Amino acid sequence: MVSRENRVLLGSLFLVWLVVTIVGLTGIGAESSVLAFVVLAGVGIVLPQLYLAATDDDVPGRQRVRIAAVLALVIAMLGFSGADATERLIIAGLVAALLVAVVAYEFTAGYRGTAAER
């Protein structure tokens, strides 16, 4: 039997395939590195990890959020060096916003943990 986590990850891969197929058939945004980054990192990695962080108790949510941020950063660094300057700037902004969100999440979780100990 396939675990719930594997079903979520396979579902996100199917969704990535579906979006890529639709983009390929319609041609809308087919040359956009930003769209490719959002589909690969956002739909393929970040969304399923955030969903599992909110609903799964086997792996701590903080760990899943960190995994999503690091993998999005890796995809941005490895996959989009050939994009033009404007697209690289947009992708860098998206990654920076994601990393700021992770820092804020960690700060909030640490604060709540400290407040709970009192």
Side-chain angles (χ1 to χ4, degrees):
M1 182 169 196
V2 179
S3 71
R4 182 173 171 276
E5 179 177 0
N6 288 339
R7 286 192 309 251
V8 169
L9 295 176
L10 287 172
S12 72
L13 289 177
F14 175 74
L15 192 57
V16 166
W17 174 81
L18 188 63
V19 170
V20 168
T21 302
I22 290 171
V23 166
L25 291 176
T26 61
I28 298 172
E31 298 297 320
S32 173
S33 295
V34 175
L35 178 65
F37 174 74
V38 168
V39 169
L40 291 176
V43 176
I45 294 173
V46 174
L47 284 180
Q49 290 299 325
L50 292 180
Y51 172 75
L52 289 171
T55 60
D56 189 18
D57 293 332
D58 293 338
V59 178
R62 291 173 75 177
Q63 185 175 351
R64 289 202 184 271
V65 171
R66 288 183 208 133
I67 289 170
V70 169
L71 289 177
L73 178 63
V74 168
I75 286 175
M77 288 183 349
L78 294 178
F80 297 99
S81 60
D84 67 7
T86 305
E87 289 181 329
R88 280 196 312 257
L89 186 62
I90 293 170
I91 291 171
L94 291 172
V95 170
L98 182 61
L99 293 176
V100 166
V102 168
V103 169
Y105 178 79
E106 289 290 333
F107 177 78
T108 305
Y111 177 77
R112 286 182 183 159
T114 304
E117 290 176 0
R118 293 180 189 179

